[in-house]
Structures are given as C-alpha cells and as structure tokens.
Amino acid sequence: MDSFLAAIQDRVLGCDGAMGTMLYAKGVFIHRAFEELNVVQPARVREVHEAYVAAGAQVIETNTYAANRFRLSSHGLADKVEEINRSGVEIARSAASGRAWVAGSIGPLGVRIEPFGSIAREEARAVFAQQARALVEAGVDLLVLETFSHLPEIEDA
C-alpha cells in the first residue's frame, strides 16, 4: 500500500463507521468501557473491523475513542491506557491485513477543562499526549480527533 499521505493526494478514501454502535449491536452493555474489549474480547472488536474492511472501508479506526486516562478511570482502568491503545492498534492492523489504513481514534476527555472546568489545560494536553503516543508507537497510519464540541479541548488535543 502507498503511504496514507500519498493515497489522499489523488483520491477520496472510504472510512469505516461507528465502532461503539456496532459493539452495542453485538450485545455489549452500553455502560461498560468498549475500549476494554481490546484486551478482554479482542475477537469481538476484530469482527467489527473485518466487516468494515469487507464492506470496502479503506480506513478503519481503532477502538480507542475513549481510551484516555480520564474516561478509563471511571471503569477502574486508568492504569491501562497504553495497553488498551496498543491492543486497539494491533487488532485493527491485523483485521486490515494490508487492505486498509489504520487510524488511531481519539475523542474528548469526558471532563471539563479550564476555564469551564477544574482540569488544567496542561493536564489535558498530557492526557491527550499519553494516548496519542501509545497509538503512534503501536503503529497507526494517522490519528483522528473526533466529535469534540469544545474548541479549546481539540486545540489541546
């Protein structure tokens, strides 16, 4: 495969759809951390990726949207940021089998940052950096920052 940057120079690429929605449809309870499935039920996550690739997706996103320290802490998983993100990349890369690029998914922190919340912007940047570093070190082709509603937060990301 060409590099991702080379590929987007002359064509539009089709991307996958919602990972969480598909996992929910497969019976995963909505109040759990879907990202934890990367380490406890990787086959279930892989099935979703494989279905998207089979449908023609040229870019698939890792199951890491909420795999940051703040969001994972509410599930007792704050110490598993690197493991969950790394596993998410490994699963997606395996499912892609060289037929799709792997995008590291990063979503909002799930907490309010300054000036509207108590989380300092420096801390927010450190949390985003931890997740991004894990994704990049695991070998994603690109990062996707998605569904942010607060401009300062995506700036920090």
Side-chain angles (χ1 to χ4, degrees), residues 35 38-39 42 64 82-92 138:
E35 293 76 10
N38 293 346
V39 294
T64 57
E82 287 84 3
E83 178 185 6
I84 288 171
N85 282 278
R86 183 178 57 252
S87 294
V89 175
E90 290 168 0
I91 295 164

Side-chain angles (χ1 to χ4, degrees), residues 136-155:
V136 169
E137 287 175 358
V140 295
D141 298 305
L142 64 143
L143 296 172
V144 173
L145 306 176
E146 56 181 322
T147 68
F148 286 77
S149 60
H150 186 228
L151 185 58
E153 186 176 16
I154 197 166
E155 289 171 343

Side-chain angles (χ1 to χ4, degrees), residues 2-151:
D2 294 334
S3 75
F4 181 75
L5 289 176
I8 61 172
Q9 294 302 310
D10 61 357
R11 66 183 189 255
V12 174
L13 301 176
C15 300
D16 65 1
M19 174 61 74
T21 300
M22 297 300 287
L23 291 171
Y24 180 74
K26 290 182 170 292
V28 178
F29 188 59
I30 197 161
H31 292 348
R32 78 174 299 170
F34 286 2
E35 293 76 10
E36 182 187 21
L37 297 175
N38 293 346
V39 294
V40 298
Q41 294 182 14
R44 187 172 266 183
V45 176
R46 184 183 166 97
E47 286 175 12
V48 175
H49 287 312
E50 288 173 340
Y52 280 125
V53 172
Q58 297 160 296
V59 178
I60 59 173
E61 291 185 41
T62 57
N63 180 36
T64 57
Y65 171 79
N68 67 66
R69 181 169 25 106
F70 290 126
R71 287 196 169 206
L72 292 174
S73 69
S74 64
H75 300 281
L77 301 167
D79 62 333
K80 298 199 178 295
V81 171
E82 287 84 3
E83 178 185 6
I84 288 171
N85 282 278
R86 183 178 57 252
S87 294
V89 175
E90 290 168 0
I91 295 164
R93 180 72 58 209
S94 174
S97 297
R99 298 173 290 160
W101 285 273
V102 174
S105 174
I106 298 176
L109 297 176
V111 295
R112 299 192 81 176
I113 64 171
E114 302 178 312
F116 304 111
S118 61
I119 303 302
R121 293 192 67 182
E122 297 83 32
E123 184 177 7
R125 285 190 287 273
V127 171
F128 282 124
Q130 179 186 26
Q131 183 180 10
R133 191 177 312 95
L135 291 166
V136 169
E137 287 175 358
V140 295
D141 298 305
L142 64 143
L143 296 172
V144 173
L145 306 176
E146 56 181 322
T147 68
F148 286 77
S149 60
H150 186 228
L151 185 58

